[in-house]
Amino acid sequence: MNKISDRFRTGLRASTVAALMAWAMPLAWAGGMDSLETFIKSTRSGKAAFTQVVTAPAKDGQQPRARTQNGSFEFQRPGKFRFVYSKPFEQTIVADGQTLWLHDVDLNQVTARAQEQVLGSTPAAIVAAAPDLKALERDFTLTEEPDADGQQWVKAVPKSRDGQLQSIRVGFKAGARGAELATLDILDSFGQRSVLSFSDFDVNAAVPASHFQFKPPAGADVLRN
C-alpha cells in the first residue's frame, strides 16, 4: 500500500512540475514574425514608459555621443498614438488619425503634417498604424532575426529609399497576454541609432480618446507642412 502511495505521490509531483513548466514557458514561440503578427492582430491599444538612447556616429576618431530621453507612450490602432518626452527636454508627438502634431515645449513651436504623408515607412507604422501584416509588408521588407537578449526580433527595411530610415529592428518579449513590444532599434541614413526600450507595457489598455487629440497652446508658432 505504501509503495502504491509513494508511486502516486511521485506521479502527482511529476505531473504538477510538468504543468508548472508548461505554464512558465511563454517564450517557446514559433519566431519573431509570428510575434509581430500576433502583436498587430491582438494588441489594439496600449501604454508604456520608455527610455530612448540616441547615439550619433563617431567623428574624427572621437567616441560616439549618446543622449538619453525618457517619457510615456500610448496608442490605439489604427493610426493614433501619443509620445510624451519628459526628460531632459519636454516634447509631445500626437497622431490623431489625420494629422501628426509635434510640440516643442521649450520653443513653444508646433509642427503639423498630414499623417498619410509621413507614417508609411516609419516605426509608428509598425507600432500603431498598420492594420495587419500584409499592410506592413507593402512598405517594408521584413526579415526574422535570431533571438537575442531574451527577445524575438524582426528587421524591417523600408522599400522606399526616399526617407531617412535605413532599418528598424523590433524586439518582442513574452507577456501575460502574448507577444509584448519591448524594443525599437532604429538606424537612420546618417548612421544615427535610436534605441527605445519599453517597460510597464499595459496591453489593450483603455486609453481616453482625449489623449489622441491636440490643440496648439495659445501663443505657439504653428508650422504646417
Side-chain angles (χ1 to χ4, degrees), residues 2 4 6 27 29 50-51 61 83 88 106 115-116 126 134 140 187 198 200-202 207 213-214 218 224:
N2 288 337
I4 294 175
D6 289 343
L27 282 173
W29 309 330
F50 71 86
T51 297
F83 279 94
D106 290 340
Q115 276 187 221
E116 62 181 12
I126 297 173
K134 287 185 178 180
F140 293 94
L187 184 66
F198 297 93
D200 301 324
F201 205 107
D202 188 355
V207 183
Q213 298 170 0
F214 183 83
R224 296 183 181 271

mmCIF file with all atom_site columns, all heavy atoms in Angstrom, residues 2 4 6 27 29 50-51 61 83 88 106 115-116 126 134 140 187 198 200-202 207 213-214 218 224:
data_model
loop_
_atom_site.group_PDB
_atom_site.id
_atom_site.type_symbol
_atom_site.label_atom_id
_atom_site.label_alt_id
_atom_site.label_comp_id
_atom_site.label_asym_id
_atom_site.label_entity_id
_atom_site.label_seq_id
_atom_site.pdbx_PDB_ins_code
_atom_site.Cartn_x
_atom_site.Cartn_y
_atom_site.Cartn_z
_atom_site.occupancy
_atom_site.B_iso_or_equiv
_atom_site.pdbx_formal_charge
_atom_site.auth_seq_id
_atom_site.auth_comp_id
_atom_site.auth_asym_id
_atom_site.auth_atom_id
_atom_site.pdbx_PDB_model_num
ATOM 1   N N   . ASN A 1 2   ? 1.942   1.206  0.866   1.00 0.00 ? 2   ASN A N   1
ATOM 2   C CA  . ASN A 1 2   ? 2.826   2.368  0.932   1.00 0.00 ? 2   ASN A CA  1
ATOM 3   C C   . ASN A 1 2   ? 3.526   2.587  -0.382  1.00 0.00 ? 2   ASN A C   1
ATOM 4   O O   . ASN A 1 2   ? 3.751   3.717  -0.793  1.00 0.00 ? 2   ASN A O   1
ATOM 5   C CB  . ASN A 1 2   ? 3.871   2.169  2.045   1.00 0.00 ? 2   ASN A CB  1
ATOM 6   C CG  . ASN A 1 2   ? 3.240   2.279  3.421   1.00 0.00 ? 2   ASN A CG  1
ATOM 7   O OD1 . ASN A 1 2   ? 2.185   2.898  3.556   1.00 0.00 ? 2   ASN A OD1 1
ATOM 8   N ND2 . ASN A 1 2   ? 3.867   1.673  4.417   1.00 0.00 ? 2   ASN A ND2 1
ATOM 9   N N   . ILE A 1 4   ? 2.364   1.876  -3.352  1.00 0.00 ? 4   ILE A N   1
ATOM 10  C CA  . ILE A 1 4   ? 1.389   2.469  -4.263  1.00 0.00 ? 4   ILE A CA  1
ATOM 11  C C   . ILE A 1 4   ? 1.231   3.956  -3.967  1.00 0.00 ? 4   ILE A C   1
ATOM 12  O O   . ILE A 1 4   ? 1.198   4.798  -4.867  1.00 0.00 ? 4   ILE A O   1
ATOM 13  C CB  . ILE A 1 4   ? 0.033   1.751  -4.151  1.00 0.00 ? 4   ILE A CB  1
ATOM 14  C CG1 . ILE A 1 4   ? 0.172   0.301  -4.646  1.00 0.00 ? 4   ILE A CG1 1
ATOM 15  C CG2 . ILE A 1 4   ? -1.034  2.475  -4.963  1.00 0.00 ? 4   ILE A CG2 1
ATOM 16  C CD1 . ILE A 1 4   ? -1.077  -0.518 -4.457  1.00 0.00 ? 4   ILE A CD1 1
ATOM 17  N N   . ASP A 1 6   ? 3.414   5.911  -2.502  1.00 0.00 ? 6   ASP A N   1
ATOM 18  C CA  . ASP A 1 6   ? 4.641   6.614  -2.900  1.00 0.00 ? 6   ASP A CA  1
ATOM 19  C C   . ASP A 1 6   ? 4.658   6.855  -4.396  1.00 0.00 ? 6   ASP A C   1
ATOM 20  O O   . ASP A 1 6   ? 5.050   7.935  -4.856  1.00 0.00 ? 6   ASP A O   1
ATOM 21  C CB  . ASP A 1 6   ? 5.876   5.788  -2.494  1.00 0.00 ? 6   ASP A CB  1
ATOM 22  C CG  . ASP A 1 6   ? 6.080   5.798  -0.980  1.00 0.00 ? 6   ASP A CG  1
ATOM 23  O OD1 . ASP A 1 6   ? 5.494   6.662  -0.312  1.00 0.00 ? 6   ASP A OD1 1
ATOM 24  O OD2 . ASP A 1 6   ? 6.826   4.921  -0.485  1.00 0.00 ? 6   ASP A OD2 1
ATOM 25  N N   . LEU A 1 27  ? 8.030   31.746 -23.705 1.00 0.00 ? 27  LEU A N   1
ATOM 26  C CA  . LEU A 1 27  ? 8.976   32.143 -24.742 1.00 0.00 ? 27  LEU A CA  1
ATOM 27  C C   . LEU A 1 27  ? 9.103   31.122 -25.863 1.00 0.00 ? 27  LEU A C   1
ATOM 28  O O   . LEU A 1 27  ? 9.830   31.345 -26.824 1.00 0.00 ? 27  LEU A O   1
ATOM 29  C CB  . LEU A 1 27  ? 10.359  32.385 -24.122 1.00 0.00 ? 27  LEU A CB  1
ATOM 30  C CG  . LEU A 1 27  ? 10.515  33.725 -23.399 1.00 0.00 ? 27  LEU A CG  1
ATOM 31  C CD1 . LEU A 1 27  ? 11.856  33.779 -22.698 1.00 0.00 ? 27  LEU A CD1 1
ATOM 32  C CD2 . LEU A 1 27  ? 10.388  34.880 -24.368 1.00 0.00 ? 27  LEU A CD2 1
ATOM 33  N N   . TRP A 1 29  ? 7.838   30.462 -28.588 1.00 0.00 ? 29  TRP A N   1
ATOM 34  C CA  . TRP A 1 29  ? 7.041   30.868 -29.729 1.00 0.00 ? 29  TRP A CA  1
ATOM 35  C C   . TRP A 1 29  ? 7.660   30.329 -30.994 1.00 0.00 ? 29  TRP A C   1
ATOM 36  O O   . TRP A 1 29  ? 8.781   29.842 -31.009 1.00 0.00 ? 29  TRP A O   1
ATOM 37  C CB  . TRP A 1 29  ? 6.953   32.381 -29.810 1.00 0.00 ? 29  TRP A CB  1
ATOM 38  C CG  . TRP A 1 29  ? 6.531   33.060 -28.556 1.00 0.00 ? 29  TRP A CG  1
ATOM 39  C CD1 . TRP A 1 29  ? 5.711   32.568 -27.598 1.00 0.00 ? 29  TRP A CD1 1
ATOM 40  C CD2 . TRP A 1 29  ? 6.941   34.351 -28.106 1.00 0.00 ? 29  TRP A CD2 1
ATOM 41  N NE1 . TRP A 1 29  ? 5.559   33.480 -26.591 1.00 0.00 ? 29  TRP A NE1 1
ATOM 42  C CE2 . TRP A 1 29  ? 6.307   34.578 -26.869 1.00 0.00 ? 29  TRP A CE2 1
ATOM 43  C CE3 . TRP A 1 29  ? 7.768   35.341 -28.635 1.00 0.00 ? 29  TRP A CE3 1
ATOM 44  C CZ2 . TRP A 1 29  ? 6.468   35.747 -26.154 1.00 0.00 ? 29  TRP A CZ2 1
ATOM 45  C CZ3 . TRP A 1 29  ? 7.932   36.514 -27.925 1.00 0.00 ? 29  TRP A CZ3 1
ATOM 46  C CH2 . TRP A 1 29  ? 7.290   36.706 -26.697 1.00 0.00 ? 29  TRP A CH2 1
ATOM 47  N N   . PHE A 1 50  ? 8.975   54.590 -21.542 1.00 0.00 ? 50  PHE A N   1
ATOM 48  C CA  . PHE A 1 50  ? 10.083  54.248 -22.412 1.00 0.00 ? 50  PHE A CA  1
ATOM 49  C C   . PHE A 1 50  ? 11.320  55.069 -22.076 1.00 0.00 ? 50  PHE A C   1
ATOM 50  O O   . PHE A 1 50  ? 11.242  56.175 -21.516 1.00 0.00 ? 50  PHE A O   1
ATOM 51  C CB  . PHE A 1 50  ? 9.717   54.451 -23.891 1.00 0.00 ? 50  PHE A CB  1
ATOM 52  C CG  . PHE A 1 50  ? 9.581   55.890 -24.324 1.00 0.00 ? 50  PHE A CG  1
ATOM 53  C CD1 . PHE A 1 50  ? 10.691  56.630 -24.741 1.00 0.00 ? 50  PHE A CD1 1
ATOM 54  C CD2 . PHE A 1 50  ? 8.342   56.515 -24.312 1.00 0.00 ? 50  PHE A CD2 1
ATOM 55  C CE1 . PHE A 1 50  ? 10.557  57.948 -25.134 1.00 0.00 ? 50  PHE A CE1 1
ATOM 56  C CE2 . PHE A 1 50  ? 8.202   57.841 -24.710 1.00 0.00 ? 50  PHE A CE2 1
ATOM 57  C CZ  . PHE A 1 50  ? 9.315   58.562 -25.112 1.00 0.00 ? 50  PHE A CZ  1
ATOM 58  N N   . THR A 1 51  ? 12.453  54.500 -22.428 1.00 0.00 ? 51  THR A N   1
ATOM 59  C CA  . THR A 1 51  ? 13.731  55.199 -22.392 1.00 0.00 ? 51  THR A CA  1
ATOM 60  C C   . THR A 1 51  ? 14.308  55.142 -23.794 1.00 0.00 ? 51  THR A C   1
ATOM 61  O O   . THR A 1 51  ? 14.334  54.079 -24.413 1.00 0.00 ? 51  THR A O   1
ATOM 62  C CB  . THR A 1 51  ? 14.709  54.540 -21.406 1.00 0.00 ? 51  THR A CB  1
ATOM 63  O OG1 . THR A 1 51  ? 14.169  54.624 -20.082 1.00 0.00 ? 51  THR A OG1 1
ATOM 64  C CG2 . THR A 1 51  ? 16.067  55.245 -21.433 1.00 0.00 ? 51  THR A CG2 1
ATOM 65  N N   . GLY A 1 61  ? 37.629  60.159 -35.147 1.00 0.00 ? 61  GLY A N   1
ATOM 66  C CA  . GLY A 1 61  ? 38.254  59.333 -34.128 1.00 0.00 ? 61  GLY A CA  1
ATOM 67  C C   . GLY A 1 61  ? 37.697  59.516 -32.727 1.00 0.00 ? 61  GLY A C   1
ATOM 68  O O   . GLY A 1 61  ? 38.181  58.896 -31.775 1.00 0.00 ? 61  GLY A O   1
ATOM 69  N N   . PHE A 1 83  ? 3.358   60.213 -27.939 1.00 0.00 ? 83  PHE A N   1
ATOM 70  C CA  . PHE A 1 83  ? 4.648   60.142 -27.254 1.00 0.00 ? 83  PHE A CA  1
ATOM 71  C C   . PHE A 1 83  ? 4.817   61.428 -26.456 1.00 0.00 ? 83  PHE A C   1
ATOM 72  O O   . PHE A 1 83  ? 4.680   62.532 -27.005 1.00 0.00 ? 83  PHE A O   1
ATOM 73  C CB  . PHE A 1 83  ? 5.805   60.045 -28.249 1.00 0.00 ? 83  PHE A CB  1
ATOM 74  C CG  . PHE A 1 83  ? 6.066   58.668 -28.788 1.00 0.00 ? 83  PHE A CG  1
ATOM 75  C CD1 . PHE A 1 83  ? 5.501   58.255 -29.984 1.00 0.00 ? 83  PHE A CD1 1
ATOM 76  C CD2 . PHE A 1 83  ? 6.885   57.785 -28.100 1.00 0.00 ? 83  PHE A CD2 1
ATOM 77  C CE1 . PHE A 1 83  ? 5.747   56.996 -30.490 1.00 0.00 ? 83  PHE A CE1 1
ATOM 78  C CE2 . PHE A 1 83  ? 7.140   56.521 -28.594 1.00 0.00 ? 83  PHE A CE2 1
ATOM 79  C CZ  . PHE A 1 83  ? 6.578   56.121 -29.792 1.00 0.00 ? 83  PHE A CZ  1
ATOM 80  N N   . PRO A 1 88  ? 15.324  64.928 -21.141 1.00 0.00 ? 88  PRO A N   1
ATOM 81  C CA  . PRO A 1 88  ? 15.646  66.207 -20.491 1.00 0.00 ? 88  PRO A CA  1
ATOM 82  C C   . PRO A 1 88  ? 14.883  67.387 -21.095 1.00 0.00 ? 88  PRO A C   1
ATOM 83  O O   . PRO A 1 88  ? 14.859  68.459 -20.520 1.00 0.00 ? 88  PRO A O   1
ATOM 84  C CB  . PRO A 1 88  ? 17.145  66.352 -20.748 1.00 0.00 ? 88  PRO A CB  1
ATOM 85  C CG  . PRO A 1 88  ? 17.348  65.672 -22.058 1.00 0.00 ? 88  PRO A CG  1
ATOM 86  C CD  . PRO A 1 88  ? 16.381  64.513 -22.073 1.00 0.00 ? 88  PRO A CD  1
ATOM 87  N N   . ASP A 1 106 ? 9.864   73.853 -25.109 1.00 0.00 ? 106 ASP A N   1
ATOM 88  C CA  . ASP A 1 106 ? 10.844  74.912 -24.865 1.00 0.00 ? 106 ASP A CA  1
ATOM 89  C C   . ASP A 1 106 ? 10.750  76.026 -25.907 1.00 0.00 ? 106 ASP A C   1
ATOM 90  O O   . ASP A 1 106 ? 10.857  77.212 -25.587 1.00 0.00 ? 106 ASP A O   1
ATOM 91  C CB  . ASP A 1 106 ? 12.265  74.337 -24.858 1.00 0.00 ? 106 ASP A CB  1
ATOM 92  C CG  . ASP A 1 106 ? 12.526  73.478 -23.630 1.00 0.00 ? 106 ASP A CG  1
ATOM 93  O OD1 . ASP A 1 106 ? 11.783  73.634 -22.644 1.00 0.00 ? 106 ASP A OD1 1
ATOM 94  O OD2 . ASP A 1 106 ? 13.459  72.664 -23.651 1.00 0.00 ? 106 ASP A OD2 1
ATOM 95  N N   . GLN A 1 115 ? -0.780  62.813 -41.685 1.00 0.00 ? 115 GLN A N   1
ATOM 96  C CA  . GLN A 1 115 ? -0.251  61.502 -41.314 1.00 0.00 ? 115 GLN A CA  1
ATOM 97  C C   . GLN A 1 115 ? 0.066   60.625 -42.519 1.00 0.00 ? 115 GLN A C   1
ATOM 98  O O   . GLN A 1 115 ? 1.099   59.957 -42.556 1.00 0.00 ? 115 GLN A O   1
ATOM 99  C CB  . GLN A 1 115 ? -1.256  60.769 -40.408 1.00 0.00 ? 115 GLN A CB  1
ATOM 100 C CG  . GLN A 1 115 ? -1.157  61.142 -38.965 1.00 0.00 ? 115 GLN A CG  1
ATOM 101 C CD  . GLN A 1 115 ? -2.025  60.286 -38.080 1.00 0.00 ? 115 GLN A CD  1
ATOM 102 O OE1 . GLN A 1 115 ? -2.639  60.807 -37.165 1.00 0.00 ? 115 GLN A OE1 1
ATOM 103 N NE2 . GLN A 1 115 ? -2.108  58.998 -38.311 1.00 0.00 ? 115 GLN A NE2 1
ATOM 104 N N   . GLU A 1 116 ? -0.835  60.607 -43.480 1.00 0.00 ? 116 GLU A N   1
ATOM 105 C CA  . GLU A 1 116 ? -0.674  59.701 -44.614 1.00 0.00 ? 116 GLU A CA  1
ATOM 106 C C   . GLU A 1 116 ? 0.600   59.991 -45.404 1.00 0.00 ? 116 GLU A C   1
ATOM 107 O O   . GLU A 1 116 ? 1.104   59.125 -46.121 1.00 0.00 ? 116 GLU A O   1
ATOM 108 C CB  . GLU A 1 116 ? -1.891  59.772 -45.529 1.00 0.00 ? 116 GLU A CB  1
ATOM 109 C CG  . GLU A 1 116 ? -2.120  61.145 -46.135 1.00 0.00 ? 116 GLU A CG  1
ATOM 110 C CD  . GLU A 1 116 ? -3.358  61.197 -47.016 1.00 0.00 ? 116 GLU A CD  1
ATOM 111 O OE1 . GLU A 1 116 ? -4.157  60.245 -46.967 1.00 0.00 ? 116 GLU A OE1 1
ATOM 112 O OE2 . GLU A 1 116 ? -3.514  62.188 -47.744 1.00 0.00 ? 116 GLU A OE2 1
ATOM 113 N N   . ILE A 1 126 ? 4.703   50.371 -37.694 1.00 0.00 ? 126 ILE A N   1
ATOM 114 C CA  . ILE A 1 126 ? 4.820   49.047 -37.081 1.00 0.00 ? 126 ILE A CA  1
ATOM 115 C C   . ILE A 1 126 ? 4.054   48.993 -35.767 1.00 0.00 ? 126 ILE A C   1
ATOM 116 O O   . ILE A 1 126 ? 3.323   48.044 -35.482 1.00 0.00 ? 126 ILE A O   1
ATOM 117 C CB  . ILE A 1 126 ? 6.305   48.700 -36.853 1.00 0.00 ? 126 ILE A CB  1
ATOM 118 C CG1 . ILE A 1 126 ? 7.040   48.632 -38.192 1.00 0.00 ? 126 ILE A CG1 1
ATOM 119 C CG2 . ILE A 1 126 ? 6.449   47.384 -36.084 1.00 0.00 ? 126 ILE A CG2 1
ATOM 120 C CD1 . ILE A 1 126 ? 8.539   48.463 -38.078 1.00 0.00 ? 126 ILE A CD1 1
ATOM 121 N N   . LYS A 1 134 ? 0.131   42.186 -43.791 1.00 0.00 ? 134 LYS A N   1
ATOM 122 C CA  . LYS A 1 134 ? 0.219   42.436 -45.231 1.00 0.00 ? 134 LYS A CA  1
ATOM 123 C C   . LYS A 1 134 ? 0.377   43.928 -45.527 1.00 0.00 ? 134 LYS A C   1
ATOM 124 O O   . LYS A 1 134 ? 1.119   44.317 -46.421 1.00 0.00 ? 134 LYS A O   1
ATOM 125 C CB  . LYS A 1 134 ? -1.024  41.879 -45.937 1.00 0.00 ? 134 LYS A CB  1
ATOM 126 C CG  . LYS A 1 134 ? -1.048  40.360 -46.032 1.00 0.00 ? 134 LYS A CG  1
ATOM 127 C CD  . LYS A 1 134 ? -2.231  39.875 -46.841 1.00 0.00 ? 134 LYS A CD  1
ATOM 128 C CE  . LYS A 1 134 ? -2.211  38.357 -46.977 1.00 0.00 ? 134 LYS A CE  1
ATOM 129 N NZ  . LYS A 1 134 ? -3.367  37.850 -47.770 1.00 0.00 ? 134 LYS A NZ  1
ATOM 130 N N   . PHE A 1 140 ? 7.535   47.676 -46.059 1.00 0.00 ? 140 PHE A N   1
ATOM 131 C CA  . PHE A 1 140 ? 8.793   47.177 -45.508 1.00 0.00 ? 140 PHE A CA  1
ATOM 132 C C   . PHE A 1 140 ? 9.127   45.785 -46.040 1.00 0.00 ? 140 PHE A C   1
ATOM 133 O O   . PHE A 1 140 ? 8.225   44.981 -46.303 1.00 0.00 ? 140 PHE A O   1
ATOM 134 C CB  . PHE A 1 140 ? 8.716   47.060 -43.979 1.00 0.00 ? 140 PHE A CB  1
ATOM 135 C CG  . PHE A 1 140 ? 8.596   48.368 -43.247 1.00 0.00 ? 140 PHE A CG  1
ATOM 136 C CD1 . PHE A 1 140 ? 7.348   48.862 -42.898 1.00 0.00 ? 140 PHE A CD1 1
ATOM 137 C CD2 . PHE A 1 140 ? 9.719   49.097 -42.885 1.00 0.00 ? 140 PHE A CD2 1
ATOM 138 C CE1 . PHE A 1 140 ? 7.224   50.057 -42.207 1.00 0.00 ? 140 PHE A CE1 1
ATOM 139 C CE2 . PHE A 1 140 ? 9.606   50.289 -42.194 1.00 0.00 ? 140 PHE A CE2 1
ATOM 140 C CZ  . PHE A 1 140 ? 8.360   50.771 -41.862 1.00 0.00 ? 140 PHE A CZ  1
ATOM 141 N N   . LEU A 1 187 ? 17.878  52.703 -37.054 1.00 0.00 ? 187 LEU A N   1
ATOM 142 C CA  . LEU A 1 187 ? 19.100  53.228 -37.661 1.00 0.00 ? 187 LEU A CA  1
ATOM 143 C C   . LEU A 1 187 ? 18.709  54.107 -38.839 1.00 0.00 ? 187 LEU A C   1
ATOM 144 O O   . LEU A 1 187 ? 18.004  53.663 -39.748 1.00 0.00 ? 187 LEU A O   1
ATOM 145 C CB  . LEU A 1 187 ? 19.997  52.081 -38.137 1.00 0.00 ? 187 LEU A CB  1
ATOM 146 C CG  . LEU A 1 187 ? 21.360  52.472 -38.721 1.00 0.00 ? 187 LEU A CG  1
ATOM 147 C CD1 . LEU A 1 187 ? 22.252  53.097 -37.652 1.00 0.00 ? 187 LEU A CD1 1
ATOM 148 C CD2 . LEU A 1 187 ? 22.040  51.248 -39.335 1.00 0.00 ? 187 LEU A CD2 1
ATOM 149 N N   . PHE A 1 198 ? 10.939  49.755 -23.928 1.00 0.00 ? 198 PHE A N   1
ATOM 150 C CA  . PHE A 1 198 ? 9.639   49.956 -23.290 1.00 0.00 ? 198 PHE A CA  1
ATOM 151 C C   . PHE A 1 198 ? 9.541   49.144 -21.999 1.00 0.00 ? 198 PHE A C   1
ATOM 152 O O   . PHE A 1 198 ? 10.067  48.025 -21.907 1.00 0.00 ? 198 PHE A O   1
ATOM 153 C CB  . PHE A 1 198 ? 8.517   49.548 -24.240 1.00 0.00 ? 198 PHE A CB  1
ATOM 154 C CG  . PHE A 1 198 ? 8.458   50.379 -25.492 1.00 0.00 ? 198 PHE A CG  1
ATOM 155 C CD1 . PHE A 1 198 ? 9.114   49.968 -26.644 1.00 0.00 ? 198 PHE A CD1 1
ATOM 156 C CD2 . PHE A 1 198 ? 7.768   51.579 -25.521 1.00 0.00 ? 198 PHE A CD2 1
ATOM 157 C CE1 . PHE A 1 198 ? 9.075   50.727 -27.802 1.00 0.00 ? 198 PHE A CE1 1
ATOM 158 C CE2 . PHE A 1 198 ? 7.722   52.354 -26.669 1.00 0.00 ? 198 PHE A CE2 1
ATOM 159 C CZ  . PHE A 1 198 ? 8.379   51.922 -27.816 1.00 0.00 ? 198 PHE A CZ  1
ATOM 160 N N   . ASP A 1 200 ? 6.750   48.401 -18.342 1.00 0.00 ? 200 ASP A N   1
ATOM 161 C CA  . ASP A 1 200 ? 5.392   48.524 -17.774 1.00 0.00 ? 200 ASP A CA  1
ATOM 162 C C   . ASP A 1 200 ? 4.337   48.604 -18.872 1.00 0.00 ? 200 ASP A C   1
ATOM 163 O O   . ASP A 1 200 ? 3.406   49.419 -18.819 1.00 0.00 ? 200 ASP A O   1
ATOM 164 C CB  . ASP A 1 200 ? 5.297   49.767 -16.873 1.00 0.00 ? 200 ASP A CB  1
ATOM 165 C CG  . ASP A 1 200 ? 6.284   49.723 -15.722 1.00 0.00 ? 200 ASP A CG  1
ATOM 166 O OD1 . ASP A 1 200 ? 6.517   48.629 -15.193 1.00 0.00 ? 200 ASP A OD1 1
ATOM 167 O OD2 . ASP A 1 200 ? 6.838   50.780 -15.372 1.00 0.00 ? 200 ASP A OD2 1
ATOM 168 N N   . PHE A 1 201 ? 4.480   47.751 -19.876 1.00 0.00 ? 201 PHE A N   1
ATOM 169 C CA  . PHE A 1 201 ? 3.562   47.770 -21.024 1.00 0.00 ? 201 PHE A CA  1
ATOM 170 C C   . PHE A 1 201 ? 2.198   47.242 -20.600 1.00 0.00 ? 201 PHE A C   1
ATOM 171 O O   . PHE A 1 201 ? 2.072   46.133 -20.099 1.00 0.00 ? 201 PHE A O   1
ATOM 172 C CB  . PHE A 1 201 ? 4.134   46.906 -22.144 1.00 0.00 ? 201 PHE A CB  1
ATOM 173 C CG  . PHE A 1 201 ? 3.646   47.301 -23.516 1.00 0.00 ? 201 PHE A CG  1
ATOM 174 C CD1 . PHE A 1 201 ? 4.487   47.946 -24.401 1.00 0.00 ? 201 PHE A CD1 1
ATOM 175 C CD2 . PHE A 1 201 ? 2.342   47.055 -23.917 1.00 0.00 ? 201 PHE A CD2 1
ATOM 176 C CE1 . PHE A 1 201 ? 4.048   48.330 -25.665 1.00 0.00 ? 201 PHE A CE1 1
ATOM 177 C CE2 . PHE A 1 201 ? 1.891   47.430 -25.160 1.00 0.00 ? 201 PHE A CE2 1
ATOM 178 C CZ  . PHE A 1 201 ? 2.753   48.070 -26.041 1.00 0.00 ? 201 PHE A CZ  1
ATOM 179 N N   . ASP A 1 202 ? 1.180   48.051 -20.787 1.00 0.00 ? 202 ASP A N   1
ATOM 180 C CA  . ASP A 1 202 ? -0.204  47.680 -20.457 1.00 0.00 ? 202 ASP A CA  1
ATOM 181 C C   . ASP A 1 202 ? -0.928  47.380 -21.773 1.00 0.00 ? 202 ASP A C   1
ATOM 182 O O   . ASP A 1 202 ? -1.301  48.291 -22.510 1.00 0.00 ? 202 ASP A O   1
ATOM 183 C CB  . ASP A 1 202 ? -0.883  48.823 -19.706 1.00 0.00 ? 202 ASP A CB  1
ATOM 184 C CG  . ASP A 1 202 ? -2.250  48.438 -19.152 1.00 0.00 ? 202 ASP A CG  1
ATOM 185 O OD1 . ASP A 1 202 ? -2.715  47.308 -19.436 1.00 0.00 ? 202 ASP A OD1 1
ATOM 186 O OD2 . ASP A 1 202 ? -2.855  49.266 -18.445 1.00 0.00 ? 202 ASP A OD2 1
ATOM 187 N N   . VAL A 1 207 ? -7.424  53.675 -23.200 1.00 0.00 ? 207 VAL A N   1
ATOM 188 C CA  . VAL A 1 207 ? -6.798  54.998 -23.274 1.00 0.00 ? 207 VAL A CA  1
ATOM 189 C C   . VAL A 1 207 ? -7.866  56.026 -23.655 1.00 0.00 ? 207 VAL A C   1
ATOM 190 O O   . VAL A 1 207 ? -8.558  55.858 -24.663 1.00 0.00 ? 207 VAL A O   1
ATOM 191 C CB  . VAL A 1 207 ? -5.661  55.010 -24.319 1.00 0.00 ? 207 VAL A CB  1
ATOM 192 C CG1 . VAL A 1 207 ? -4.975  56.378 -24.332 1.00 0.00 ? 207 VAL A CG1 1
ATOM 193 C CG2 . VAL A 1 207 ? -4.654  53.905 -24.027 1.00 0.00 ? 207 VAL A CG2 1
ATOM 194 N N   . GLN A 1 213 ? -5.977  63.704 -29.034 1.00 0.00 ? 213 GLN A N   1
ATOM 195 C CA  . GLN A 1 213 ? -6.400  64.992 -29.578 1.00 0.00 ? 213 GLN A CA  1
ATOM 196 C C   . GLN A 1 213 ? -5.352  66.034 -29.188 1.00 0.00 ? 213 GLN A C   1
ATOM 197 O O   . GLN A 1 213 ? -4.736  65.941 -28.122 1.00 0.00 ? 213 GLN A O   1
ATOM 198 C CB  . GLN A 1 213 ? -7.774  65.387 -29.030 1.00 0.00 ? 213 GLN A CB  1
ATOM 199 C CG  . GLN A 1 213 ? -8.877  64.414 -29.400 1.00 0.00 ? 213 GLN A CG  1
ATOM 200 C CD  . GLN A 1 213 ? -10.166 64.678 -28.648 1.00 0.00 ? 213 GLN A CD  1
ATOM 201 O OE1 . GLN A 1 213 ? -10.254 65.603 -27.839 1.00 0.00 ? 213 GLN A OE1 1
ATOM 202 N NE2 . GLN A 1 213 ? -11.183 63.874 -28.901 1.00 0.00 ? 213 GLN A NE2 1
ATOM 203 N N   . PHE A 1 214 ? -5.148  66.991 -30.074 1.00 0.00 ? 214 PHE A N   1
ATOM 204 C CA  . PHE A 1 214 ? -4.146  68.013 -29.779 1.00 0.00 ? 214 PHE A CA  1
ATOM 205 C C   . PHE A 1 214 ? -4.642  69.378 -30.233 1.00 0.00 ? 214 PHE A C   1
ATOM 206 O O   . PHE A 1 214 ? -5.141  69.537 -31.350 1.00 0.00 ? 214 PHE A O   1
ATOM 207 C CB  . PHE A 1 214 ? -2.827  67.698 -30.472 1.00 0.00 ? 214 PHE A CB  1
ATOM 208 C CG  . PHE A 1 214 ? -1.727  68.687 -30.137 1.00 0.00 ? 214 PHE A CG  1
ATOM 209 C CD1 . PHE A 1 214 ? -0.980  68.550 -28.976 1.00 0.00 ? 214 PHE A CD1 1
ATOM 210 C CD2 . PHE A 1 214 ? -1.470  69.771 -30.972 1.00 0.00 ? 214 PHE A CD2 1
ATOM 211 C CE1 . PHE A 1 214 ? 0.002   69.468 -28.650 1.00 0.00 ? 214 PHE A CE1 1
ATOM 212 C CE2 . PHE A 1 214 ? -0.489  70.699 -30.653 1.00 0.00 ? 214 PHE A CE2 1
ATOM 213 C CZ  . PHE A 1 214 ? 0.259   70.539 -29.491 1.00 0.00 ? 214 PHE A CZ  1
ATOM 214 N N   . ALA A 1 218 ? -1.917  78.386 -26.688 1.00 0.00 ? 218 ALA A N   1
ATOM 215 C CA  . ALA A 1 218 ? -2.045  79.804 -27.045 1.00 0.00 ? 218 ALA A CA  1
ATOM 216 C C   . ALA A 1 218 ? -0.657  80.420 -27.197 1.00 0.00 ? 218 ALA A C   1
ATOM 217 O O   . ALA A 1 218 ? 0.220   80.211 -26.371 1.00 0.00 ? 218 ALA A O   1
ATOM 218 C CB  . ALA A 1 218 ? -2.838  80.536 -25.960 1.00 0.00 ? 218 ALA A CB  1
ATOM 219 N N   . ARG A 1 224 ? 2.765   74.383 -40.655 1.00 0.00 ? 224 ARG A N   1
ATOM 220 C CA  . ARG A 1 224 ? 2.028   73.320 -41.344 1.00 0.00 ? 224 ARG A CA  1
ATOM 221 C C   . ARG A 1 224 ? 2.763   72.953 -42.629 1.00 0.00 ? 224 ARG A C   1
ATOM 222 O O   . ARG A 1 224 ? 3.031   73.821 -43.461 1.00 0.00 ? 224 ARG A O   1
ATOM 223 C CB  . ARG A 1 224 ? 0.600   73.741 -41.647 1.00 0.00 ? 224 ARG A CB  1
ATOM 224 C CG  . ARG A 1 224 ? -0.228  73.986 -40.389 1.00 0.00 ? 224 ARG A CG  1
ATOM 225 C CD  . ARG A 1 224 ? -1.672  74.328 -40.707 1.00 0.00 ? 224 ARG A CD  1
ATOM 226 N NE  . ARG A 1 224 ? -2.428  74.581 -39.500 1.00 0.00 ? 224 ARG A NE  1
ATOM 227 C CZ  . ARG A 1 224 ? -3.065  73.634 -38.803 1.00 0.00 ? 224 ARG A CZ  1
ATOM 228 N NH1 . ARG A 1 224 ? -3.037  72.388 -39.219 1.00 0.00 ? 224 ARG A NH1 1
ATOM 229 N NH2 . ARG A 1 224 ? -3.740  73.939 -37.704 1.00 0.00 ? 224 ARG A NH2 1
#
